[in-house]
Amino acid sequence: MESGEHQDDCKQVFALLSQYLDAELSPASCEEIQAHLADCPPCIEFLESLKRTIRLCHHCESAEAPPLAPEAREQLLAAYRKTLLGRA
Ligand SMILES: [Zn+2]
């Protein structure tokens, strides 16, 4: 089943994205995510909301603030899990 395999891809990207949130993503992993995002609307949507949230955080916090508050990070990860489950 190709759709099942694709979902596995999403989970891998999900793991990489959590590193992305921690700003620990290597350029190679970043390329992997980009490649997956080219053909996966749910992941694109997730990344868009992720970027929005990070921008909001930067807007509210000082320049020295960490990339993303732990609570916001948890919320995003939970939302992403829901997205993946919704596709199953
Ligand atoms: Zn995906």
Side-chain angles (χ1 to χ4, degrees):
M1 288 287 214
E2 278 187 12
S3 60
E5 280 172 28
H6 189 73
Q7 186 129 28
D8 279 349
D9 278 358
C10 286
K11 283 175 187 163
Q12 267 184 14
V13 168
F14 168 69
L16 292 174
L17 281 173
S18 65
Q19 289 173 40
Y20 173 81
L21 293 177
D22 292 329
E24 287 172 358
L25 205 57
S26 69
S29 298
C30 206
E31 275 176 32
E32 227 176 284
I33 290 180
Q34 299 286 353
H36 177 82
L37 287 178
D39 190 33
C40 193
C43 285
I44 294 171
E45 250 177 67
F46 174 72
L47 198 64
E48 284 306 312
S49 65
L50 187 69
K51 284 178 184 166
R52 258 202 309 275
T53 304
I54 291 173
R55 250 205 315 273
L56 278 175
C57 286
H58 283 181
H59 184 70
C60 298
E61 310 274 344
S62 75
E64 298 293 316
L68 199 59
E71 307 84 52
R73 186 169 174 268
E74 282 306 308
Q75 270 179 12
L76 282 165
L77 296 184
Y80 190 64
R81 280 194 203 100
K82 216 188 284 177
T83 301
L84 290 185
L85 287 174
R87 305 178 72 212

